[in-house]
Amino acid sequence: MSKTLICSCEDVTSDDIRHAVAKGYCDVESVKRFTGFGTGICQGKGCLSAVAALLCKEKAQKPAGLLPFTPRPPLYPTEMSVLASMQVDESQPPVGGVPEELAVFPPALRSEGSVPAKAKVVIIGGGIMGLALAYNLSLRGETDVVVLERGYLCAGASGRNGGGVRMQWGTSANIELAKRSIELMGRFARDMGINVWLRQGGYLFMAKTKAVAQRLERNVALHNKHGVPTRLLTVDEAREIVPGLSMAGAQAASFNPEDGVIFPWPFLWGYANGCRKAGIKVETFTNVTGFETSDGLVRKVKTDRGDIACDTVVLASGAWSPEIARLVGVQLPNEPHRHEILSTEPLKPFLSPLVSVLDSGLYFSQSMRGEIVGGMGDPKEPPGLNMGSTLRFVSRFSQALMEQMPQLGHVKVLRQWAGCYDVTPDNNPVLGRTPGLENMLQMSGFVGHGFMMAPAVAERMAGWMTTGESDELFTRFNLRRFQEGKLEREDMIIG
């Protein structure tokens, strides 16, 4: 066993890198996520070249594929109080962002072989939804499945979120899905052999306005009706749960102790490993370029590595789903919206629940490593597939966080990144059959909460696909509802 340190910030050794390679993670971005190298105080400045050299030595990657991982601003750790001092023009929308995410991954990262010529089911999207569905299909005996992913695992929203999982929702359907998902997460380590570090420290929601406070009160009653132990809190009661929380401007709060946080990356890897063990093909760095259709059915999925004939195709590409759907002439109502997030230097553990100001979308929690991880929506963010990072975000976030926890002003921000919410007009997903293309199934539009709904949605969708039994979930959230006006709006969206 080699104890040679590759990343001294995160104690990653050369053997850790070799272990990642043995698991099939050979590109720099995947190895970064599997080992944690490059996520410490120096942000990879001292270890990136050593990892690239080791990957080349192990013949895990061709030199052309040894691209550096995406750098994350700020360039140097910067105190929140400094970032909060920056002026933000709230009347103007954010623009650009550094670095812009590459739209196309290097050809050198693609497998040299072709994709399978035929599969019973092709799932487009190797995020948490697509992989969870493929795994659940295998549990029901269906393993003739191919999952297509345009980048590396965790490249999309599934690898870019804060890991929050909650039962506090505004509709009965989402409450029940979340309850089941969190139940399955609690068994994940036992069932899948990988720890996702589920920590049920609760979610504490704050309301600053009377309208939002009334919404909290209404939703608490709905939660209780479904057996979720959410309760309304006074300002003082909220401060007892989170010492040091100012509750500035807050009128009310709600708290469910059974909500929590998990580590996103191993959650995805667990499903991917389960798929591969079952014989399901997970094809990364593979782009869908079109479809072949006839008689109202998709006959083939076309990719840059060959065509796949199929009986069923599932569109589970998150914010990229409308783009893929247009290739076959289907117009989805979804819009991608950038949402930014950041992580600080580690602190001694002090914060149990995830805290959110429902009015502004501010949320923050503390990771297993002690980092403060959080984000905040921007009402001026224009729609579009943009995953660049902005100074505007870290300034707005720092101001909002320091309002609630002023003692964190000295804490340094280490890195920031962005992902895309897949937003629908009613904040609910698009599920079920596609009108005019009966064998194209929709599985998108989760507005930032697909990550926490995936276990339950995938379980039900796999059952619906393999048994043919009706399930109201796939009629209730069918694409037709937007034409028919049968919308049920979800009002507890944060971030």
Side-chain angles (χ1 to χ4, degrees):
M1 177 180 289
S2 172
K3 295 188 181 295
T4 304
L5 274 179
I6 296 290
C7 173
S8 57
C9 294
E10 297 301 318
D11 293 330
V12 178
T13 67
S14 56
D15 267 3
D16 292 329
I17 304 299
R18 293 188 182 97
H19 179 60
V21 170
K23 288 285 188 180
Y25 302 105
C26 301
D27 62 283
V28 172
E29 288 280 8
S30 295
V31 172
K32 173 185 176 182
R33 284 156 177 77
F34 192 79
T35 64
F37 98 86
T39 62
I41 195 77
C42 84
Q43 290 296 284
K45 297 180 182 69
C47 57
L48 176 57
S49 59
V51 170
L54 185 54
L55 289 178
C56 194
K57 181 181 177 182
E58 294 291 314
K59 295 183 171 53
Q61 190 55 256
K62 302 172 186 176
L66 290 171
L67 302 180
F69 55 66
T70 308
R72 299 295 175 201
L75 183 59
Y76 298 105
T78 306
E79 289 188 0
M80 280 196 178
S81 59
V82 174
L83 295 167
S85 69
M86 305 295 294
Q87 295 297 313
V88 175
D89 185 352
E90 296 279 5
S91 68
Q92 297 298 314
V95 295
V98 281
E100 288 284 359
E101 189 74 11
L102 292 174
V104 180
F105 293 94
L109 295 175
R110 293 181 201 148
S111 171
E112 293 181 354
S114 299
V115 292
K118 188 180 186 308
K120 189 169 183 181
V121 180
V122 173
I123 299 173
I124 303 173
I128 196 68
M129 278 291 168
L131 291 171
L133 175 61
Y135 175 73
N136 274 275
L137 286 171
S138 75
L139 294 181
R140 289 157 178 79
E142 184 54 75
T143 58
D144 187 11
V145 180
V146 175
V147 180
L148 302 176
E149 167 55 46
R150 63 185 286 274
Y152 52 87
L153 296 184
C154 295
S158 298
R160 295 171 177 270
N161 63 82
V165 293
R166 59 184 166 102
M167 304 175 204
Q168 292 188 70
W169 290 97
T171 62
S172 295
N174 283 330
I175 293 168
E176 287 298 326
L177 287 172
K179 282 177 62 180
R180 178 58 177 164
S181 282
I182 292 174
E183 178 187 348
L184 292 169
M185 290 172 190
R187 299 173 4 200
F188 201 83
R190 183 192 68 196
D191 294 345
M192 310 296 285
I194 188 167
N195 198 339
V196 294
W197 307 105
L198 173 63
R199 292 163 288 130
Q200 290 178 277
Y203 257 61
L204 192 153
F205 278 108
M206 299 164 49
K208 282 189 165 187
T209 62
K210 183 178 181 180
V212 176
Q214 289 174 339
R215 191 196 315 170
L216 281 185
E217 184 176 359
R218 180 179 68 250
N219 288 342
V220 166
L222 183 62
H223 301 164
N224 296 163
K225 182 180 177 181
H226 286 271
V228 177
T230 309
R231 67 183 191 272
L232 285 172
L233 304 176
T234 65
V235 169
D236 288 338
E237 287 172 334
R239 291 193 187 111
E240 289 178 8
I241 292 173
V242 183
L245 188 65
S246 73
M247 294 292 290
Q251 294 194 16
S254 69
F255 179 69
N256 173 26
E258 295 181 1
D259 294 335
V261 178
I262 67 170
F263 190 13
W265 297 342
F267 194 38
L268 199 74
W269 298 328
Y271 279 123
N273 292 342
C275 289
R276 287 166 175 154
K277 287 178 182 177
I280 289 171
K281 301 288 187 183
V282 180
E283 302 287 351
T284 54
F285 302 106
T286 304
N287 292 297
V288 172
T289 59
F291 298 88
E292 183 179 305
T293 64
S294 66
D295 301 323
L297 298 173
V298 174
R299 303 297 183 178
K300 286 185 179 180
V301 178
K302 296 179 174 294
T303 82
D304 55 3
R305 294 177 51 217
D307 298 349
I308 311 174
C310 61
D311 296 335
T312 302
V313 59
V314 182
L315 185 50
S317 304
W320 283 264
S321 293
E323 190 176 88
I324 299 296
R326 281 194 291 272
L327 295 175
V328 73
V330 173
Q331 188 69 34
L332 296 181
N334 319 25
E335 281 188 339
H337 283 256
R338 171 175 59 180
H339 280 249
E340 299 187 61
I341 189 170
L342 62 74
S343 179
T344 72
E345 62 185 327
L347 306 172
K348 183 178 178 180
F350 74 95
L351 182 61
S352 292
L354 184 148
V355 178
S356 175
V357 180
L358 196 53
D359 309 70
S360 67
L362 171 73
Y363 69 92
F364 59 96
S365 65
Q366 191 169 26
S367 74
M368 289 288 291
R369 301 194 305 183
E371 307 146 318
I372 301 299
V373 178
M376 183 178 176
D378 192 326
K380 292 291 186 178
E381 181 69 47
L385 287 167
N386 181 0
M387 293 195 287
S389 298
T390 65
L391 178 60
R392 172 190 174 103
F393 160 70
V394 286
S395 178
R396 293 179 72 249
F397 177 87
S398 297
Q399 291 169 13
L401 180 63
M402 287 179 60
E403 179 185 49
Q404 298 303 326
M405 301 205 81
Q407 67 273 31
L408 296 181
H410 71 285
V411 177
K412 295 182 176 67
V413 174
L414 293 191
R415 63 189 183 278
Q416 63 181 110
W417 63 96
C420 287
Y421 275 23
D422 186 18
V423 181
T424 60
D426 61 358
N427 289 338
N428 277 309
V430 180
L431 297 170
R433 299 192 185 279
T434 304
L437 286 172
E438 288 298 295
N439 69 335
M440 173 176 267
L441 307 183
Q442 300 291 336
M443 196 184 193
S444 67
F446 283 89
V447 200
H449 58 271
F451 179 81
M452 65 182 79
M453 299 295 188
V457 173
E459 181 182 59
R460 287 177 64 170
M461 190 159 183
W464 174 66
M465 289 171 64
T466 55
T467 66
E469 296 177 0
S470 64
D471 186 323
E472 63 89 22
L473 192 66
F474 305 104
T475 53
R476 183 179 199 164
F477 295 126
N478 193 283
L479 190 54
R480 289 189 179 91
R481 77 182 190 271
F482 297 101
Q483 292 179 331
E484 297 170 353
K486 297 177 180 178
L487 306 184
E488 178 185 6
R489 187 169 182 79
E490 172 57 63
D491 62 8
M492 285 198 74
I493 302 295
I494 63 172

